[in-house]
Amino acid sequence: MGLLDISIIRMVSKLVLLLLLFHHVVIANSSYSSQKQYPSCSDEENLSGVVEFQMFQNLHFLHELQLNWNGLEFVTESKILNTTVQQFTILGLSNCSLTEFPSFLQYQKGLQRLDLPGNKIRGLVPKWMWNTSIETLVLLDISQNSISDQPPLFLPWVKLICLRFTSNMFHGSLPIPPPTMKEYAARDNNFTGDISPLLCNMKNLQYLDLSKNNLSGMLPQCLGNFSDDLILLLLGNNSFHGIIPQTYNKGSNLRMIDVSYNKLQGQLPRSLVNCMMLEYLVLSNNRFNDVFPIWLGTLQELKLLAMRHNGFYGVIGKSRKNVDFPKLRILDLAYNDFTGAVPSVFPNITVNKSAYMYTHVVMDVNGFTIVSDVDYQLKIATKGLELYYPRIREEFASFDISSNKFEGKIPEFIGNLTELRSLNLSHNILTGSIPSSFGNLMKLESLDLSQNKLSGRIPQQLVQLNFLSSFNVSHNNLTGPIPQGTQLTSLNVTSYEGNLGLCGDPLPKKCGNPKAPELPPSTVDEDDSSSEGIFEFDWKIVSAGCGSGLVVGVVLADVVITRRPDLFLKIVGMIRQMIRKI
């Protein structure tokens, strides 16, 4: 094959690839049609190969280029002159194996949207990048790279509405965007210092996620009410201290609040009751000191309430309005100082089993739509471990009140919560027996009742729980045989330890054979007919004979010989064995 043939083949290959790319390329004038929806991960076309920037240089009417979320590798020549570069308004190069910011970006004057997430860009951001399309850029997404730079304190883009820095290694002070911002996502970086009060100038903000950084100081109180449009307030995994914002306006659109893993303290603001749209409230691992917020029971949309590892205290009663959390799916009160009876603030509802719990944020920006779906995320103590759930299905229901001072009997209502997947009542002062109605919890995967004062037998009905993979009743006062079912007998011995009266598999202590032949009928009362009762009676006779003299012993022996000759023979055999040992 000659060189000419090879050149023709290469040219045809490029042409075919170029035609395929037109599935992702929009040729348009400088104006946009209304309500454009751009591809996300779910729009993947699974194209592969190398795409050279020069392929588009002669397409003078090409203003939008989107190659998002494929297996394409986008490459450019190292030297591109300003006079020859193609100008874009929308450029989507998500997941295109980029290792640096493409150099032609420095010559872009009219970019409105720049998507570069999911690449392999690392190190510093070129200085020219901070000056690209200063007057026009509306959306910048450089999340999920390995950028380790300190951005300027004031971001230069005057019309910026959406900024996504998530999952990089940015450090230094948190940059301050322009007041036009609606979405500010800087999750999972190394930003330090305080949140500047200047962030309160973003009057139209809908989405603020500063989780998983090293931020500290007190939270600006404006975060409670500075934007009635605010939907997401995510500040977990930092080092904030002081109190959380105290004022939340009526008509607030807040749907997700997460301030977990900080050093916040004091009481919860009663104005949270104004957040009628609130679905997700995570307060875990702080230093709050307050009674249970029963007044939140009026929030019709609240699905997840997590308050573990705090200083909440007192008895949990019912709300005066008798409306207690009608949609709650996950309740976590572990590691607090609650007392009194187990609270009945957990409803039993059916849901869409195929869906995940998330919050949907839609923003209209200059005629095109920006969509953000934020999944519910939580650490849940289940199956003996603290497991991190990056996504949670609607059907998942969890009730955890462990490590408190709840007392009294386990209420029967829990046996009616048939949607439960995880139930943890451990490390309390609960008494009484395990309700047999727990056998109705057919979807239960984890049940922990350990470290209480429960008594009685393990209900036979629990063998019906076919999905139960973690079961712990250790360190109680349970007695009798462990129900012989595949789920309960296949568990570790530690699930039952600390119950001296328990017997049967998987414990080494075996229960007597209930099918053993019965002894011949006797005239002795039924209360004395058990093997343990007989054993006790034997030694009473021997002790009496030794302690009171031969006469008393003879009289007692005469009674035994007359009424229970079989028992007399057994005693004689025992005495013979004692003599042999001497």
Side-chain angles (χ1 to χ4, degrees):
M1 185 179 293
L3 294 176
L4 181 58
D5 294 332
I6 294 175
S7 299
I8 293 173
I9 291 173
R10 286 178 177 174
M11 185 180 300
V12 171
S13 299
K14 288 186 176 182
L15 181 59
V16 171
L17 181 57
L18 185 58
L19 290 172
L20 287 172
L21 290 174
F22 269 95
H23 285 287
H24 294 272
V25 176
V26 180
I27 300 177
N29 295 318
S30 57
S31 62
Y32 300 101
S33 59
S34 62
Q35 300 299 315
K36 291 173 185 162
Q37 179 71 49
Y38 293 107
S40 63
C41 297
S42 60
D43 298 310
E44 188 172 325
E45 295 275 353
N46 294 320
L47 299 177
S48 61
V50 176
V51 178
E52 298 177 0
F53 176 71
Q54 285 70 25
M55 295 169 63
F56 309 102
Q57 279 292 82
N58 296 323
L59 301 175
H60 300 297
F61 293 101
L62 179 65
H63 297 289
E64 302 179 27
L65 173 62
Q66 297 207 61
L67 309 178
N68 295 320
W69 306 109
N70 282 283
L72 298 171
E73 181 179 353
F74 188 79
V75 296
T76 63
E77 292 183 358
S78 58
K79 294 182 180 180
I80 297 179
L81 300 177
N82 185 18
T83 56
T84 62
V85 72
Q86 178 68 33
Q87 293 291 313
F88 296 100
T89 54
I90 292 180
L91 186 60
L93 300 176
S94 305
N95 195 36
C96 284
S97 300
L98 294 173
T99 58
E100 60 183 11
F101 288 90
S103 59
F104 73 88
L105 291 177
Q106 63 186 302
Y107 304 118
Q108 297 296 311
K109 303 300 182 183
L111 268 178
Q112 293 190 18
R113 176 168 182 158
L114 177 60
D115 290 292
L116 300 174
N119 283 289
K120 302 174 184 177
I121 303 173
R122 59 180 61 249
L124 302 179
V125 178
K127 291 184 178 180
W128 51 257
M129 183 62 208
W130 301 112
N131 295 316
T132 295
S133 302
I134 289 179
E135 300 293 333
T136 59
L137 195 63
V138 171
L139 182 148
L140 174 63
D141 187 349
I142 52 176
S143 56
Q144 299 176 38
N145 282 283
S146 300
I147 302 169
S148 55
D149 199 359
Q150 180 173 344
L153 182 58
F154 292 92
L155 295 178
W157 299 286
V158 295
K159 294 183 179 179
L160 196 63
I161 288 177
C162 178
L163 176 65
R164 296 171 180 169
F165 277 177
T166 299
S167 298
N168 279 286
M169 293 180 283
F170 282 110
H171 57 272
S173 298
L174 193 69
I176 300 170
T180 53
M181 285 286 290
K182 289 188 176 183
E183 177 182 337
Y184 190 2
R187 175 187 178 91
D188 194 14
N189 280 282
N190 297 317
F191 288 117
T192 55
D194 300 354
I195 294 179
S196 171
L198 293 175
L199 263 69
C200 298
N201 294 330
M202 298 185 290
K203 300 297 184 182
N204 299 313
L205 194 66
Q206 297 184 30
Y207 180 153
L208 179 61
D209 187 355
L210 307 179
S211 308
K212 293 188 177 181
N213 279 283
N214 297 312
L215 298 169
S216 57
M218 298 183 68
L219 297 177
Q221 288 303 299
C222 71
L223 293 181
N225 62 0
F226 77 105
S227 173
D228 288 339
D229 295 327
L230 190 63
I231 297 173
L232 305 174
L233 180 61
L234 308 177
L235 305 173
N237 287 272
N238 283 288
S239 297
F240 296 119
H241 65 269
I243 60 176
I244 64 174
Q246 295 294 299
T247 305
Y248 296 88
N249 294 335
K250 287 186 177 180
S252 168
N253 284 309
L254 271 169
R255 289 159 61 184
M256 293 182 72
I257 299 177
D258 184 353
V259 293
S260 61
Y261 292 90
N262 281 289
K263 302 174 183 177
L264 299 171
Q265 57 194 37
Q267 295 184 331
L268 300 182
R270 276 22 182 193
S271 61
L272 280 172
V273 77
N274 292 327
C275 302
M276 297 303 295
M277 302 295 293
L278 194 62
E279 304 172 3
Y280 173 101
L281 179 59
V282 183
L283 308 167
S284 302
N285 295 80
N286 278 286
R287 301 171 184 175
F288 292 116
N289 187 13
D290 199 356
V291 296
F292 180 77
I294 194 67
W295 36 271
L296 289 178
T298 59
L299 299 184
Q300 299 288 323
E301 302 298 326
L302 192 62
K303 299 177 184 177
L304 187 154
L305 176 59
M307 305 168 61
R308 67 187 291 116
H309 279 292
N310 275 287
F312 291 103
Y313 61 90
V315 176
I316 301 177
K318 288 189 174 182
S319 64
R320 294 178 182 177
K321 297 183 179 180
N322 203 29
V323 180
D324 292 332
F325 307 92
K327 287 190 178 179
L328 198 62
R329 301 291 300 166
I330 297 174
L331 177 63
D332 189 348
L333 308 180
Y335 293 95
N336 282 286
D337 292 313
F338 290 117
T339 57
V342 175
S344 57
V345 296
F346 199 84
N348 190 44
I349 58 175
T350 56
V351 294
N352 181 359
K353 298 179 180 180
S354 63
Y356 286 94
M357 289 191 274
Y358 67 94
T359 294
H360 188 62
V361 182
V362 181
M363 292 175 282
D364 181 66
V365 179
N366 290 359
F368 61 86
T369 302
I370 299 174
V371 178
S372 298
D373 291 333
V374 182
D375 293 313
Y376 287 17
Q377 303 176 20
L378 192 68
K379 270 188 179 179
I380 299 175
T382 183
K383 302 182 181 180
L385 301 169
E386 275 201 1
L387 301 178
Y388 174 68
Y389 285 73
R391 302 179 76 191
I392 305 173
R393 284 194 177 276
E394 284 274 1
E395 63 181 326
F396 185 86
S398 173
F399 186 33
D400 188 347
I401 60 169
S402 62
S403 299
N404 281 281
K405 298 173 184 175
F406 290 110
E407 56 189 353
K409 293 184 177 181
I410 297 175
E412 288 292 333
F413 82 87
I414 294 181
N416 298 324
L417 303 179
T418 55
E419 296 293 315
L420 274 178
R421 302 301 179 101
S422 178
L423 175 61
N424 191 345
L425 310 180
S426 66
H427 292 83
N428 281 289
I429 321 172
L430 300 175
T431 55
S433 60
I434 301 173
S436 59
S437 61
F438 276 17
N440 299 329
L441 306 179
M442 301 299 293
K443 298 179 181 178
L444 201 62
E445 300 171 7
S446 177
L447 174 60
D448 193 345
L449 305 174
S450 63
Q451 299 286 349
N452 279 288
K453 297 184 177 181
L454 300 173
S455 57
R457 298 192 171 203
I458 298 175
Q460 182 68 29
Q461 290 84 348
L462 296 190
V463 300
Q464 301 170 182
L465 306 182
N466 295 324
F467 291 101
L468 192 65
S469 59
S470 177
F471 178 66
N472 192 348
V473 291
S474 63
H475 300 288
N476 281 285
N477 299 315
L478 300 173
T479 57
I482 296 171
Q484 297 302 291
T486 55
Q487 299 301 114
L488 300 184
T489 55
S490 63
L491 300 171
N492 196 288
V493 173
T494 57
S495 296
Y496 303 100
E497 66 183 5
N499 294 279
L500 299 181
L502 280 181
C503 59
D505 291 336
L507 294 175
K509 179 181 178 182
K510 304 304 177 186
C511 307
N513 185 357
K515 296 183 179 179
E518 295 183 2
L519 293 172
S522 68
T523 57
V524 179
D525 292 340
E526 291 182 2
D527 292 342
D528 295 331
S529 63
S530 67
S531 59
E532 292 179 344
I534 291 173
F535 185 76
E536 278 188 41
F537 186 57
D538 294 345
W539 282 106
K540 285 178 182 176
I541 294 174
V542 176
S543 300
C546 296
S548 302
L550 181 62
V551 175
V552 177
V554 169
V555 173
L556 291 174
D558 180 70
V559 173
V560 173
I561 293 169
T562 303
R563 297 187 178 184
R564 292 290 299 277
D566 57 329
L567 184 58
F568 172 75
L569 294 175
K570 184 176 181 181
I571 294 172
V572 170
M574 293 172 62
I575 294 173
R576 283 180 177 177
Q577 290 180 359
M578 293 174 64
I579 293 173
R580 288 174 181 173
K581 292 180 180 179
I582 296 175

